[in-house]
Amino acid sequence: MKINQNYLSLNDSYLFSSIAQKVRDYKAANPNKEVISLGIGDVTRPLAAAVVQAIQEAATEMGQKDTFRGYGEEQGYHFLRQAVAEYYAKKGVTLDADEVFISDGAKSDLANVLDIFAGGQTVLIPNPVYPVYHDTNVMVGNRIVYTDGTEKNGFLPMPDPQITPDIIYLCSPNNPTGAVYSKSQLQEWVNYALKAGAVILFDAAYEVFIRDKDLPSSIYQINGAKECAIEICSLSKTAGFTGTRCGYTVVPKSLVRSGAQLNKLWLRRQTTKFNGVSYIIQKGAAAVFTQEGQAQTRSDITYYANNAAVITKTLNKKGIWSTGGINSPYVWFKCPDGYSSWQFFDKLLNEANVVGTPGAGFGSGGEGFMRFTAFGNAEKTLQAMKNFEKLF
Ligand code: PLP
């Protein structure tokens, strides 16, 4: 038998293990110092009360003969798909519930969606990037072309007319850079994809952090996007579901390539390879979209947004170039005094007892930059920024 040789082309991912090792070493040598992490991309606020209650009620239903349920609706329960469609309606986007697919989170669908495309495609990926886009395309043997985020373009790379991609990954608000595309910039991407016959995979995992009403929080707010884009979203950051697991993917019926409706292909793929998210968790997810659930989860988003504002304010005060932080839980900043990402990581850890994520870990385009996240505790974030200020 032969293995998938593409897996041998993957680089080992040492980013988070290297960070953890350095922090362990520092703590072992300095047991009395408190190290504050602004490095994690995981949430820390607990599930909203409305979500917990819905999960408990659903668990009770599952334990009673009359309300027990076995296999669920293949695309996800209609009550949840309808709730997602109504959430989109509030953004001015009309979706049929059949265009919404419930998932166990964005990561799986970002990877699995490649099943419906032929191998050997040309894939346009931003650099720096959320590593999943890169690695999943290496796994299937696609040809990867990069579009560079830079200080000059505000880490919002724009289409390159020299390249004709088949698949384009966009993430806005972006991980790791926190940068957010404007409507006119996304319109350029949509026009470019339509012209090339490409499909945009739009990762909207952080859409809930957009507060500026003029910024798009869904690609379907852009003309023509339903003819060229799949949107992948998650409740991980929206409602603290990183451990609970639920998300949704939108595949419009008007998205057609090579004469095939991608919605039908994705349905076929999902019904063959995926048996859905549990009823209990889908009930919890539906509670996110109720009035009560929205109020409770939004208050957690405000909590994180306040942390991001504290970080951004400190960077501004020190005259350090940064993106993100306002409509995003990530703040991406230029390492001062020409430090490399890892050099500045060490300085931060050793002299300020603060952990960030070295930008170089997200691709060559991240060298010389760092990422702070706003997902931590408010007091600790404040303390971390006080320590940070003392570096200068
Ligand atoms: N997309 C981006 C840009 C992310 O940063 C993450 C997680 O950090 C994901 C997707 C995955 O989210 P999920 O927990 O829904 O799988």
Side-chain angles (χ1 to χ4, degrees), residues 16 37-47 107 130 175 206 209 234-245 300-301 303-304 307 329-330 357 362 371-377 381:
F16 289 101
S37 177
L38 300 182
I40 49 155
D42 199 355
V43 290
T44 53
R45 308 285 297 159
L47 290 177
K107 191 189 207 172
Y130 173 55
N175 179 16
Y206 299 96
F209 287 90
S234 168
L235 296 181
S236 281
K237 309 297 158 78
T238 304
F241 270 57
T242 51
T244 306
R245 310 305 305 152
D300 290 332
I301 299 303
Y303 180 94
Y304 296 137
N307 286 346
Y330 296 119
T357 309
F362 299 99
R371 187 192 75 175
F372 278 156
T373 85
F375 287 121
N377 167 278
T381 303

Side-chain angles (χ1 to χ4, degrees), residues 32-353:
N32 298 325
K33 299 266 173 146
E34 191 201 3
V35 175
I36 303 176
S37 177
L38 300 182
I40 49 155
D42 199 355
V43 290
T44 53
R45 308 285 297 159
L47 290 177
V51 171
V52 173
Q53 191 186 336
I55 289 175
Q56 285 170 339
E57 285 169 6
T60 303
E61 280 182 56
M62 291 296 271
Q64 290 170 359
K65 190 162 81 51
D66 293 343
T67 46
F68 168 77
R69 290 162 189 254
Y71 287 121
E73 289 173 44
E74 288 174 318
Q75 214 176 314
Y77 282 102
H78 189 269
F79 64 77
L80 181 52
R81 287 186 288 118
Q82 188 57 37
V84 172
E86 283 164 20
Y87 180 66
Y88 272 90
K90 289 190 195 128
K91 299 176 184 229
V93 174
T94 308
L95 289 182
D96 192 305
D98 289 347
E99 296 179 304
V100 178
F101 295 76
I102 304 306
S103 70
D104 62 353
K107 191 189 207 172
S108 348
D109 276 12
L110 281 162
N112 294 336
V113 73
L114 295 177
D115 270 13
I116 63 170
F117 303 114
Q121 309 267 3
T122 299
V123 181
L124 192 58
I125 288 180
N127 177 17
V129 69
Y130 173 55
V132 170
Y133 310 159
H134 174 270
D135 289 355
T136 51
N137 279 284
V138 170
M139 286 172 181
V140 298
N142 279 341
R143 175 175 163 256
I144 298 173
V145 187
Y146 294 99
T147 169
D148 291 334
T150 60
E151 185 179 343
K152 197 163 163 227
N153 63 25
F155 286 89
L156 291 168
M158 295 305 294
D160 179 349
Q162 309 296 319
I163 305 167
T164 307
D166 300 304
I167 298 171
I168 300 164
Y169 284 81
L170 295 178
C171 177
S172 177
N174 189 274
N175 179 16
T177 71
V180 184
Y181 280 113
S182 69
K183 279 192 178 151
S184 64
Q185 287 172 319
L186 277 190
Q187 188 68 63
E188 269 190 60
W189 275 109
V190 165
N191 295 347
Y192 174 70
L194 288 171
K195 192 164 171 224
V199 172
I200 296 175
L201 299 179
F202 190 76
D203 184 343
Y206 299 96
E207 58 85 27
V208 77
F209 287 90
I210 295 181
R211 306 166 131 220
D212 183 339
K213 295 268 177 284
D214 292 333
L215 290 172
S217 61
S218 163
I219 193 145
Y220 303 122
Q221 291 167 329
I222 308 301
N223 290 332
K226 280 192 179 171
E227 280 70 50
C228 68
I230 291 175
E231 182 157 296
I232 294 160
C233 202
S234 168
L235 296 181
S236 281
K237 309 297 158 78
T238 304
F241 270 57
T242 51
T244 306
R245 310 305 305 152
C246 196
Y248 47 91
T249 291
V250 177
V251 189
K253 289 181 183 164
S254 49
L255 177 50
V256 175
R257 290 292 179 274
S258 307
Q261 243 186 359
L262 298 195
N263 179 287
K264 280 196 180 155
L265 300 191
W266 183 240
L267 180 64
R268 190 72 177 85
R269 190 268 171 210
Q270 289 298 79
T271 52
T272 304
K273 293 195 178 181
F274 184 57
N275 255 343
V277 175
S278 80
Y279 172 70
I280 296 170
I281 298 305
Q282 290 194 54
K283 273 291 189 180
V288 172
F289 297 99
T290 61
Q291 216 179 351
E292 204 188 359
Q294 284 289 291
Q296 291 168 0
T297 51
R298 295 283 163 151
S299 116
D300 290 332
I301 299 303
T302 304
Y303 180 94
Y304 296 137
N306 289 342
N307 286 346
V310 166
I311 298 169
T312 304
K313 200 171 144 200
T314 309
L315 293 169
N316 288 346
K317 195 166 147 193
K318 293 293 163 193
I320 296 170
W321 188 92
S322 71
T323 59
I326 299 166
N327 295 287
S328 161
Y330 296 119
V331 186
W332 177 256
F333 66 95
K334 191 172 177 179
C335 302
D337 304 326
Y339 275 87
S340 75
S341 298
W342 279 106
Q343 283 169 341
F344 196 67
F345 172 92
D346 287 335
K347 186 177 168 67
L348 255 180
L349 176 60
N350 292 312
E351 297 175 28
N353 305 147

